[in-house]
Structure formats: structure tokens, C-alpha cells
Amino acid sequence: MSDSSNYGHGDEDEDEEEEVVDEAGYKTSKDAVLFAIDVSDSMLTKPDDADPKRPDTMLSPTVAALKCAYALMQQRIISNPSDMMGILLFGTEKSKFQDGDVETGRGGLQYPHCYLLTDLDVPAAADVKQLRGLVEDEEEAADLLVASKEEVSMANVLFCANQIFTTMAPNFSSRRLFLVTDNDYPHASSRDARNSAAVRAKDLYDLGVTIELFPISHPDRGYTFDRSKFYNDIVYSATPSDPDAPMPLSADIKPASSTAKDGISLLQSLLSSVASRSAPQRALIRNLPFEVGPGLKISVKCFILIKRQEPKRTSYIYLPPDSDKPQIAVGSSTLVADDTARSVEKAEVRKAYKFGGETISFTVEELAKIKHFGDPVLRIIGFKPMSMLPIWANLKPLTLCYPSEEEFIGSTRVFSALHQKLLRDQKMALAWYIPRRNASPVLAAIIPGAESRSEEGEQQVPPGLWIKPLPFADDIRQTPETNLVPAPDPLTDAMRVIVQQLQLPKAIYDPRKYPNPSLQWFYRILQALALEEDIPSVPEDKTLPRWKQIHKRAGGYVVEWGQVLDEQFRMWQRDNEKHVKPTTNGAAKRTKAEPPSAGAGGGKAKKVKHEDGEEGVTDAGMREAYATDALSKVLVADLKAWLQGKGQKVVGKKADLVDAVTKYFETKMDVD
């Protein structure tokens, strides 16, 4: 059986091929982004009170937007190799849209004051080099970035974008126009021009293109961007307009300030805004039936918000001995018979499992029937308080579900009512969950999640319902035996001071501030080789602890805690008359203490005697074993002797004896 798609995968993947979520297809959905950057006089003016020590604050808004596009292109050329990017400058003195054809003699199509810097295409190394030269070479930028004396037609700009998306990315599932400008009221004196621009914007939305506006304000000039003058008719909200929808209308992106006083430069604010909208929403599961109750069914979409990223290999290559040009190697896998080495066709293959020393085989059809538990569904079977969900019940990453009106009209209202009720009462729903065809059913907790926003108003976590698969009894492993010594209060108080000194900013871990150093280092080397840059010598690792700051803030407290630990340990040794002895594997082992006195006279506790005259476990020892869940470690003879001494029946295996002892302590309450 030859199959190039399974090259490099083991047999384990083949066994689960029908149950694996196609996350690769989910992640690699094609996305096309076109930057439209304004090149007006105000956009080319550098801030007056920029900080010379910080070069990012001395950039004009146009150059900052180009650097932002350059950074996004660097990121996508490796991490999303199928995505397209393009850059359109408008308001320039020069015009360029389509180059002429020399062979046919036809002239190129031009639009006044629109300059297509980089056509919408998969970014190549040459495109990145060209854009890098523009943002780093002031002479080249000065030659191209010249504002026109005439006002550019926004209708032409939007029509240019329409032509670009239609010709270069006609079948892309996600197409977006990033519009960067500081002019909140173009064509102030021409109502017809504004209406024409609104019509062109409507054409873009009919084509499936989303317009994302990145406004820029100039506080030093007393100017604040007001999108209500013009852009409310151009930029449509993609969120539901239903007032009962769980996701309220997203607040407009905060206008980036060219002279921010809070230390955030224009480039950083643009990068932050673009990053928040650079990844489109891609549904992992579309139109999953959600049964809220008998006869009440709605439709939801499921999304993955957190997924581990790894360097992705696009292909295998090899260098032929007679050529320096690498060739792509196409892999294939073939099943062969163990005895004759004959190739086995797919129709001859049966899947086999071993049970009791025998091999049981199934056809593909039989296996499909065994694994079939019904069609995909998310069915609520009950409700519980959130406090009953244990923190350790984690099997897989949580999935966010959100209503979809495609299958059932009114899903948003029902979903919203359920979400708000669960959130208000701090309840969770238990559900029967089959995410896709041929998938094994699981019990899942449906947890309500509230919306989270940053201080700048950008959405960090959307509102919705989170699906958390719960473990079955077969998935839970036995907990390891531990003999812990609780820390005394003085030791805990000393550690509390250390923890308070080492808290993260606002006591919140923000993963966006800590990129994966291994992944970033790999991409940085790959980028340097592709763009012919100098290879860096030291990787940037933001996860490394800041030792000097830690020592300055908590070093003295750590030393004091060590002293308290030594003192408390000596007291514990004296009180318990135990000593810690190292074992062969380096762990610590405590020697057994003498049994405590059983009465006022200081006599030893009563022990149960075996039939052969040997002494067994005492009542205090059995009670301690019960309290620490260690009854399974008591010898069977000791259990029988102890139960006989209490007048209990002694029958069955060891598990039955343990149950009898447990029942005795639970019912008789045998305490001192």
C-alpha cells in the first residue's frame, strides 16, 4: 500500500487515522492580507518630542507602518508559508498598479496616487529584502515616499484592493485589508466621493474581504482620530449585532498615538494592534449540533485558541551526486507480508488486536461499527457547581465553542441565555460529547468563560463556553505514596514574604511576553540564511530568570528562610525522635519512631497476637493506617488478627479485609 501522505508516520497513527482531528488543515487555511498605508504629509511627519535614545519613537507613522508590515512578513514567510501578503501605498506622487506588457505593447493599468509596492503573493526572500531596504535606507524611502499634492480618491484605493484580491487570491477562505491612516474625514467637501467610497467598501464585503482599520492620532498637534465622521460607513463590524449575543460588539481599536507619553512607541502599538488581528478565526469544528435539552437543539462552532507550535518541515530534499540543485523527495510507505515479503494491497488489510494470547482481527467495516456511537453531538445531561470540578481533571486542551446561525436560526440567543445563566450562577454543564464522525464519545464539562480585555481595550480572551473533556475511571492512575511533613507556621510565614517579593507584574502570567526561545531561535537562523543576513551568535531567551533583580528583591529573605528551616528541622527531629538517613537512590528515609504510650502509666499500646504467638499491629497503628489510606500495605495476617480481635468476620481476599477495616472505623468511630 503506497501512500505518500503517511511518509514518516508510524503504525500508531494509522490505527487512529479516523479519530485524529485535522489540525494541520485547520492551521494552514490560506489567509491573504493587504496593507493599505497612507502616505500623506501628516503621515510622513516625525514626532517633535521624540526620544533620541529610543529610535522607535523617531519614526514617522508611514515608516512605522512599513516596519510593522516588514515584521509581519518576516513572521509569515516561515510560520505560515501558504499565506499571501501585499503592500499598497496611497497618496503618493508616483503611481504604479500593473506593469505594461512589452511583448503585446499594452500599457499597464494605473490609478492616480496608488502605488503597489508589493503585489499580493506568497512572500519571497526578494520581497522581504526590498521592504527591508525601504525601511532602512532613507534615500530610497525619500525617493518613493513623497506625498501627492492632490487628494487621493478612497474609492480608487478600495477598488484597487478589490482588483488585487480578485486576481491574486480568488479562492482564499480569509481575505483582509489592513488600512493604516490618520485622516478621519477624507473628501470632506465632496459627498459624492464619500458615497462612492462607501459603495466600493460594500463591494469588498460582498466579495468576502474584511476591512480592518488601524487609526493614528497626533496628540502633540491636538488631533484625535474620529472614525464616526467617515469610517463607520466603510468598516463593518464582524461581530453579531444581536444585543443578547454573548460576545458584545468589540470596541474599536484604540487609535495609535504618534507621541505616546506612556513609553509605548507608535511602532509598538501598531505591532500590538496588528498582532491582535493578524490571525483569522478558523473553526476546528463547524456546525456541531448542541442539544441544550430534549427537543431544543442549536448549532455551534468550535475553536482552538492555544496550540503548541513547532518548526514545520515543508518537504524532504536530497542532493543528486551529479547536480548541485536540490531535488524534492517524495516519500511512500508500503505494507509487506512478513513471510514472503509480498506487497499487501489495502483491500487485503485487516486490523488485529491481541486478547488473552489470541489475535482477533476485524475488517474496516466491522471496526467502524464497533467505534460508532452516534453522530457528532454535544448533549447536556446535567448541571453541577463549578466547585465540584477538580483541578486535576485535565486530558486535552479546552475548546471554545461559539454559536452559529447556519444550521439553526436563533442559536445565538439560546447560547447567550445559557452562557449568562451559567456564568451568573457559577455552574457548569456535564455533556455527552462526540466531536466528529467515528470519534469515541467522552464526558465533558461545559464551562462558562467571561471576556477578558487588556488595558488598551484589546480582547485577550473571548467570551463563550469552553468544552473540557473529563477523564474516565480507566484514565486515572494510582497516586504515588508520599509521607509528607507539614511545614510549621514560622516556615510558611517566612516563605510568604519571598513569594510576595517575586510576583509577576500585576500577579498575572502573560504568555505573549514569553516567546518560545527554541522556536524563535530556529526561525531566526532560518531567516538569516534565507535573507543572507548575519547569523546571530546568541539566542534571545526571555524566559531566563533575572538573577540580579531576584537577589536584590528577595536574596536576604531567602537566607533568613534557610535559617528558619534549619531551626524548625532540628525541633522536628527532637520532637519526633526520628533521624533522616539517605537511601541508595539519594532520597531521604525516616527511621520508625517508638510507638506512643497508650495510657497515663506510660505502658505500650496493646498489640494483637497471632496464632503462632507473634505480636501483630496495634490499634493505634491500624487507626493510623486507616487515616493515611495505607491499609493496603498491612499484612493479611495482621488484618485478620485485628478483625478477629474486634469480633468482625474474617472472610474473602485482602481487598475484602481492607473494606471491613474501613467500614469498622467509619461506623464505630473507634477513637480515643
Side-chain angles (χ1 to χ4, degrees), residues 480-523:
E481 180 188 1
T482 55
N483 295 320
L484 301 179
V485 179
D489 292 341
L491 198 61
T492 304
D493 296 338
M495 179 55 70
R496 181 181 293 109
V497 178
I498 298 175
V499 173
Q500 291 173 347
Q501 296 298 318
L502 298 181
Q503 281 191 352
L504 291 169
K506 300 180 181 179
I508 296 176
Y509 168 71
D510 186 359
R512 295 174 299 177
K513 295 182 179 180
Y514 305 98
N516 185 338
S518 175
L519 189 68
Q520 297 300 320
W521 179 241
F522 177 84
Y523 283 161

Short mmCIF file of all heavy atoms in Angstrom, two decimals, residues 480-523:
data_model
loop_
_atom_site.label_atom_id
_atom_site.label_comp_id
_atom_site.label_asym_id
_atom_site.label_seq_id
_atom_site.Cartn_x
_atom_site.Cartn_y
_atom_site.Cartn_z
N PRO A 480 0.94 8.33 43.76
CA PRO A 480 2.11 7.80 44.46
C PRO A 480 1.99 7.99 45.97
O PRO A 480 1.36 8.94 46.45
CB PRO A 480 3.27 8.62 43.89
CG PRO A 480 2.63 9.90 43.44
CD PRO A 480 1.26 9.54 42.98
N GLU A 481 2.59 7.07 46.69
CA GLU A 481 2.57 7.17 48.15
C GLU A 481 3.57 8.23 48.60
O GLU A 481 4.73 8.24 48.16
CB GLU A 481 2.93 5.83 48.78
CG GLU A 481 2.91 5.88 50.30
CD GLU A 481 3.46 4.61 50.90
OE1 GLU A 481 3.86 3.72 50.14
OE2 GLU A 481 3.51 4.54 52.15
N THR A 482 3.12 9.12 49.42
CA THR A 482 4.00 10.17 49.94
C THR A 482 3.81 10.28 51.44
O THR A 482 2.69 10.19 51.95
CB THR A 482 3.67 11.53 49.29
OG1 THR A 482 2.28 11.82 49.48
CG2 THR A 482 3.98 11.52 47.80
N ASN A 483 4.90 10.46 52.13
CA ASN A 483 4.88 10.71 53.57
C ASN A 483 5.41 12.12 53.80
O ASN A 483 6.61 12.35 53.86
CB ASN A 483 5.74 9.69 54.31
CG ASN A 483 5.18 8.29 54.19
OD1 ASN A 483 3.97 8.10 54.26
ND2 ASN A 483 6.06 7.31 53.98
N LEU A 484 4.49 13.05 53.84
CA LEU A 484 4.87 14.45 53.93
C LEU A 484 4.86 14.93 55.37
O LEU A 484 4.06 14.48 56.19
CB LEU A 484 3.91 15.31 53.10
CG LEU A 484 3.82 14.99 51.60
CD1 LEU A 484 2.81 15.90 50.93
CD2 LEU A 484 5.19 15.15 50.94
N VAL A 485 5.76 15.85 55.64
CA VAL A 485 5.80 16.52 56.93
C VAL A 485 5.29 17.94 56.72
O VAL A 485 5.92 18.72 56.00
CB VAL A 485 7.23 16.54 57.51
CG1 VAL A 485 7.23 17.27 58.85
CG2 VAL A 485 7.76 15.13 57.64
N PRO A 486 4.13 18.30 57.25
CA PRO A 486 3.60 19.66 57.05
C PRO A 486 4.58 20.71 57.57
O PRO A 486 5.20 20.55 58.63
CB PRO A 486 2.30 19.67 57.86
CG PRO A 486 1.95 18.22 58.03
CD PRO A 486 3.24 17.48 58.09
N ALA A 487 4.73 21.78 56.80
CA ALA A 487 5.62 22.86 57.20
C ALA A 487 5.02 23.62 58.38
O ALA A 487 3.82 23.93 58.38
CB ALA A 487 5.86 23.82 56.04
N PRO A 488 5.79 23.92 59.39
CA PRO A 488 5.27 24.69 60.53
C PRO A 488 4.98 26.13 60.12
O PRO A 488 5.47 26.63 59.10
CB PRO A 488 6.40 24.60 61.56
CG PRO A 488 7.63 24.30 60.77
CD PRO A 488 7.20 23.50 59.60
N ASP A 489 4.19 26.80 60.93
CA ASP A 489 3.77 28.17 60.61
C ASP A 489 4.94 29.14 60.44
O ASP A 489 4.91 29.97 59.53
CB ASP A 489 2.80 28.67 61.69
CG ASP A 489 1.48 27.92 61.65
OD1 ASP A 489 1.19 27.30 60.60
OD2 ASP A 489 0.75 27.94 62.65
N PRO A 490 5.97 29.14 61.29
CA PRO A 490 7.07 30.10 61.08
C PRO A 490 7.74 29.93 59.72
O PRO A 490 8.13 30.92 59.08
CB PRO A 490 8.04 29.79 62.23
CG PRO A 490 7.19 29.16 63.29
CD PRO A 490 6.15 28.39 62.56
N LEU A 491 7.87 28.69 59.25
CA LEU A 491 8.49 28.46 57.95
C LEU A 491 7.58 28.96 56.82
O LEU A 491 8.05 29.53 55.83
CB LEU A 491 8.76 26.96 57.79
CG LEU A 491 9.77 26.56 56.71
CD1 LEU A 491 11.13 27.16 56.99
CD2 LEU A 491 9.87 25.04 56.61
N THR A 492 6.28 28.75 56.98
CA THR A 492 5.33 29.23 55.96
C THR A 492 5.31 30.75 55.91
O THR A 492 5.27 31.35 54.83
CB THR A 492 3.93 28.68 56.28
OG1 THR A 492 3.97 27.26 56.35
CG2 THR A 492 2.94 29.10 55.21
N ASP A 493 5.34 31.40 57.07
CA ASP A 493 5.34 32.87 57.11
C ASP A 493 6.59 33.44 56.44
O ASP A 493 6.53 34.46 55.73
CB ASP A 493 5.25 33.35 58.55
CG ASP A 493 3.92 32.96 59.20
OD1 ASP A 493 2.96 32.69 58.45
OD2 ASP A 493 3.86 32.90 60.44
N ALA A 494 7.74 32.79 56.66
CA ALA A 494 8.97 33.27 56.04
C ALA A 494 8.92 33.11 54.52
O ALA A 494 9.41 33.96 53.77
CB ALA A 494 10.18 32.52 56.61
N MET A 495 8.33 32.02 54.03
CA MET A 495 8.22 31.81 52.59
C MET A 495 7.20 32.75 51.96
O MET A 495 7.35 33.16 50.80
CB MET A 495 7.84 30.36 52.31
CG MET A 495 7.68 30.02 50.83
SD MET A 495 9.14 30.42 49.83
CE MET A 495 10.29 29.18 50.43
N ARG A 496 6.17 33.14 52.71
CA ARG A 496 5.18 34.06 52.18
C ARG A 496 5.81 35.38 51.77
O ARG A 496 5.47 35.97 50.74
CB ARG A 496 4.06 34.29 53.20
CG ARG A 496 2.96 35.22 52.70
CD ARG A 496 1.89 35.45 53.74
NE ARG A 496 1.13 34.23 54.00
CZ ARG A 496 1.22 33.52 55.12
NH1 ARG A 496 2.02 33.94 56.09
NH2 ARG A 496 0.52 32.43 55.29
N VAL A 497 6.74 35.86 52.55
CA VAL A 497 7.43 37.12 52.22
C VAL A 497 8.20 36.98 50.91
O VAL A 497 8.21 37.88 50.07
CB VAL A 497 8.36 37.52 53.37
CG1 VAL A 497 9.10 38.81 53.03
CG2 VAL A 497 7.57 37.70 54.66
N ILE A 498 8.85 35.83 50.70
CA ILE A 498 9.62 35.61 49.47
C ILE A 498 8.70 35.60 48.27
O ILE A 498 8.98 36.22 47.23
CB ILE A 498 10.40 34.29 49.57
CG1 ILE A 498 11.40 34.36 50.73
CG2 ILE A 498 11.11 33.97 48.26
CD1 ILE A 498 12.14 33.06 50.97
N VAL A 499 7.57 34.90 48.37
CA VAL A 499 6.63 34.83 47.25
C VAL A 499 6.08 36.20 46.92
O VAL A 499 5.92 36.56 45.75
CB VAL A 499 5.50 33.83 47.58
CG1 VAL A 499 4.42 33.86 46.50
CG2 VAL A 499 6.05 32.43 47.73
N GLN A 500 5.80 37.01 47.94
CA GLN A 500 5.28 38.36 47.69
C GLN A 500 6.31 39.23 46.97
O GLN A 500 5.95 40.10 46.17
CB GLN A 500 4.87 39.00 49.01
CG GLN A 500 3.65 38.36 49.66
CD GLN A 500 3.37 38.91 51.04
OE1 GLN A 500 4.21 39.61 51.63
NE2 GLN A 500 2.20 38.60 51.58
N GLN A 501 7.59 39.00 47.21
CA GLN A 501 8.63 39.80 46.56
C GLN A 501 8.88 39.36 45.12
O GLN A 501 9.42 40.14 44.34
CB GLN A 501 9.94 39.68 47.35
CG GLN A 501 9.88 40.26 48.75
CD GLN A 501 9.59 41.75 48.74
OE1 GLN A 501 10.13 42.49 47.92
NE2 GLN A 501 8.72 42.18 49.64
N LEU A 502 8.49 38.16 44.75
CA LEU A 502 8.82 37.63 43.43
C LEU A 502 7.60 37.48 42.54
O LEU A 502 7.60 36.71 41.59
CB LEU A 502 9.51 36.26 43.57
CG LEU A 502 10.84 36.26 44.32
CD1 LEU A 502 11.43 34.87 44.38
CD2 LEU A 502 11.83 37.21 43.64
N GLN A 503 6.55 38.22 42.80
CA GLN A 503 5.36 38.13 41.96
C GLN A 503 5.61 38.78 40.60
O GLN A 503 6.37 39.74 40.47
CB GLN A 503 4.18 38.82 42.64
CG GLN A 503 3.53 37.96 43.72
CD GLN A 503 2.22 38.55 44.19
OE1 GLN A 503 1.87 39.66 43.82
NE2 GLN A 503 1.49 37.81 45.01
N LEU A 504 4.94 38.24 39.58
CA LEU A 504 4.98 38.84 38.25
C LEU A 504 4.22 40.16 38.26
O LEU A 504 3.43 40.42 39.17
CB LEU A 504 4.34 37.88 37.24
CG LEU A 504 5.12 36.59 36.94
CD1 LEU A 504 4.25 35.63 36.14
CD2 LEU A 504 6.38 36.89 36.18
N PRO A 505 4.44 41.01 37.24
CA PRO A 505 3.68 42.27 37.19
C PRO A 505 2.18 42.01 37.22
O PRO A 505 1.65 41.23 36.44
CB PRO A 505 4.12 42.87 35.84
CG PRO A 505 5.48 42.30 35.61
CD PRO A 505 5.45 40.92 36.18
N LYS A 506 1.51 42.67 38.17
CA LYS A 506 0.08 42.53 38.39
C LYS A 506 -0.32 41.10 38.75
O LYS A 506 -1.50 40.74 38.64
CB LYS A 506 -0.71 43.01 37.16
CG LYS A 506 -0.45 44.47 36.81
CD LYS A 506 -1.25 44.88 35.60
CE LYS A 506 -0.96 46.34 35.25
NZ LYS A 506 -1.72 46.76 34.04
N ALA A 507 0.67 40.31 39.16
CA ALA A 507 0.43 38.92 39.58
C ALA A 507 -0.26 38.10 38.50
O ALA A 507 -1.07 37.21 38.78
CB ALA A 507 -0.38 38.89 40.88
N ILE A 508 0.06 38.38 37.24
CA ILE A 508 -0.56 37.68 36.10
C ILE A 508 0.54 37.20 35.17
O ILE A 508 1.46 37.96 34.82
CB ILE A 508 -1.53 38.60 35.35
CG1 ILE A 508 -2.71 39.01 36.26
CG2 ILE A 508 -2.06 37.92 34.09
CD1 ILE A 508 -3.66 39.99 35.61
N TYR A 509 0.45 35.95 34.76
CA TYR A 509 1.36 35.43 33.75
C TYR A 509 0.76 35.69 32.36
O TYR A 509 -0.32 35.20 32.04
CB TYR A 509 1.59 33.93 33.94
CG TYR A 509 2.29 33.27 32.78
CD1 TYR A 509 3.63 33.53 32.53
CD2 TYR A 509 1.62 32.42 31.92
CE1 TYR A 509 4.29 32.94 31.45
CE2 TYR A 509 2.26 31.82 30.85
CZ TYR A 509 3.60 32.09 30.63
OH TYR A 509 4.24 31.51 29.56
N ASP A 510 1.46 36.47 31.56
CA ASP A 510 1.02 36.79 30.21
C ASP A 510 1.91 36.04 29.23
O ASP A 510 3.07 36.41 29.02
CB ASP A 510 1.12 38.30 29.96
CG ASP A 510 0.52 38.70 28.61
OD1 ASP A 510 0.05 37.79 27.89
OD2 ASP A 510 0.51 39.89 28.30
N PRO A 511 1.42 34.96 28.63
CA PRO A 511 2.29 34.16 27.76
C PRO A 511 2.77 34.91 26.53
O PRO A 511 3.78 34.54 25.93
CB PRO A 511 1.38 32.97 27.37
CG PRO A 511 -0.01 33.44 27.58
CD PRO A 511 0.05 34.41 28.71
N ARG A 512 2.08 35.99 26.14
CA ARG A 512 2.51 36.73 24.95
C ARG A 512 3.83 37.45 25.15
O ARG A 512 4.46 37.87 24.20
CB ARG A 512 1.42 37.73 24.55
CG ARG A 512 0.13 37.07 24.11
CD ARG A 512 -0.95 38.08 23.87
NE ARG A 512 -1.26 38.82 25.09
CZ ARG A 512 -2.14 39.81 25.14
NH1 ARG A 512 -2.79 40.17 24.06
NH2 ARG A 512 -2.39 40.43 26.27
N LYS A 513 4.26 37.59 26.40
CA LYS A 513 5.53 38.25 26.68
C LYS A 513 6.71 37.28 26.69
O LYS A 513 7.85 37.72 26.83
CB LYS A 513 5.46 38.96 28.04
CG LYS A 513 4.46 40.11 28.09
CD LYS A 513 4.48 40.79 29.44
CE LYS A 513 3.51 41.96 29.49
NZ LYS A 513 3.54 42.62 30.82
N TYR A 514 6.42 35.99 26.55
CA TYR A 514 7.49 35.00 26.64
C TYR A 514 7.44 34.07 25.43
O TYR A 514 6.86 32.98 25.50
CB TYR A 514 7.37 34.19 27.94
CG TYR A 514 7.34 35.06 29.18
CD1 TYR A 514 6.13 35.40 29.79
CD2 TYR A 514 8.52 35.55 29.72
CE1 TYR A 514 6.10 36.21 30.91
CE2 TYR A 514 8.49 36.36 30.85
CZ TYR A 514 7.28 36.69 31.43
OH TYR A 514 7.26 37.49 32.54
N PRO A 515 8.01 34.49 24.30
CA PRO A 515 8.04 33.60 23.13
C PRO A 515 8.92 32.38 23.38
O PRO A 515 9.86 32.42 24.18
CB PRO A 515 8.62 34.49 22.02
CG PRO A 515 9.35 35.56 22.74
CD PRO A 515 8.64 35.79 24.04
N ASN A 516 8.59 31.31 22.69
CA ASN A 516 9.34 30.06 22.81
C ASN A 516 10.76 30.28 22.31
O ASN A 516 10.98 30.51 21.12
CB ASN A 516 8.65 28.97 21.99
CG ASN A 516 9.30 27.61 22.17
OD1 ASN A 516 10.46 27.51 22.55
ND2 ASN A 516 8.56 26.57 21.87
N PRO A 517 11.79 30.23 23.18
CA PRO A 517 13.15 30.56 22.74
C PRO A 517 13.68 29.57 21.70
O PRO A 517 14.38 29.97 20.77
CB PRO A 517 13.98 30.52 24.03
CG PRO A 517 13.17 29.69 24.98
CD PRO A 517 11.74 29.90 24.62
N SER A 518 13.34 28.30 21.83
CA SER A 518 13.81 27.31 20.87
C SER A 518 13.21 27.55 19.49
O SER A 518 13.90 27.53 18.47
CB SER A 518 13.46 25.90 21.36
OG SER A 518 13.79 24.93 20.40
N LEU A 519 11.91 27.83 19.45
CA LEU A 519 11.23 28.07 18.18
C LEU A 519 11.73 29.36 17.53
O LEU A 519 12.00 29.39 16.32
CB LEU A 519 9.72 28.14 18.42
CG LEU A 519 8.81 28.18 17.20
CD1 LEU A 519 8.86 26.86 16.47
CD2 LEU A 519 7.38 28.50 17.60
N GLN A 520 11.85 30.42 18.33
CA GLN A 520 12.32 31.70 17.78
C GLN A 520 13.75 31.60 17.29
O GLN A 520 14.13 32.22 16.29
CB GLN A 520 12.18 32.80 18.84
CG GLN A 520 10.75 33.08 19.26
CD GLN A 520 9.88 33.51 18.11
OE1 GLN A 520 10.31 34.28 17.25
NE2 GLN A 520 8.65 33.03 18.08
N TRP A 521 14.59 30.86 17.98
CA TRP A 521 15.98 30.71 17.56
C TRP A 521 16.06 29.96 16.23
O TRP A 521 16.84 30.30 15.34
CB TRP A 521 16.77 29.98 18.65
CG TRP A 521 18.21 29.73 18.33
CD1 TRP A 521 18.83 28.51 18.25
CD2 TRP A 521 19.23 30.70 18.09
NE1 TRP A 521 20.16 28.66 17.97
CE2 TRP A 521 20.43 30.00 17.86
CE3 TRP A 521 19.25 32.08 18.03
CZ2 TRP A 521 21.63 30.63 17.57
CZ3 TRP A 521 20.43 32.73 17.74
CH2 TRP A 521 21.61 32.01 17.52
N PHE A 522 15.23 28.93 16.08
CA PHE A 522 15.20 28.19 14.82
C PHE A 522 14.77 29.10 13.67
O PHE A 522 15.38 29.11 12.59
CB PHE A 522 14.25 27.00 14.95
CG PHE A 522 14.08 26.20 13.69
CD1 PHE A 522 14.98 25.22 13.34
CD2 PHE A 522 12.99 26.44 12.85
CE1 PHE A 522 14.82 24.49 12.17
CE2 PHE A 522 12.83 25.72 11.69
CZ PHE A 522 13.74 24.74 11.35
N TYR A 523 13.70 29.87 13.90
CA TYR A 523 13.23 30.77 12.85
C TYR A 523 14.25 31.87 12.54
O TYR A 523 14.39 32.30 11.39
CB TYR A 523 11.89 31.42 13.27
CG TYR A 523 10.70 30.50 13.14
CD1 TYR A 523 9.52 30.76 13.83
CD2 TYR A 523 10.76 29.37 12.34
CE1 TYR A 523 8.42 29.92 13.71
CE2 TYR A 523 9.68 28.52 12.23
CZ TYR A 523 8.51 28.80 12.91
OH TYR A 523 7.43 27.97 12.79
#
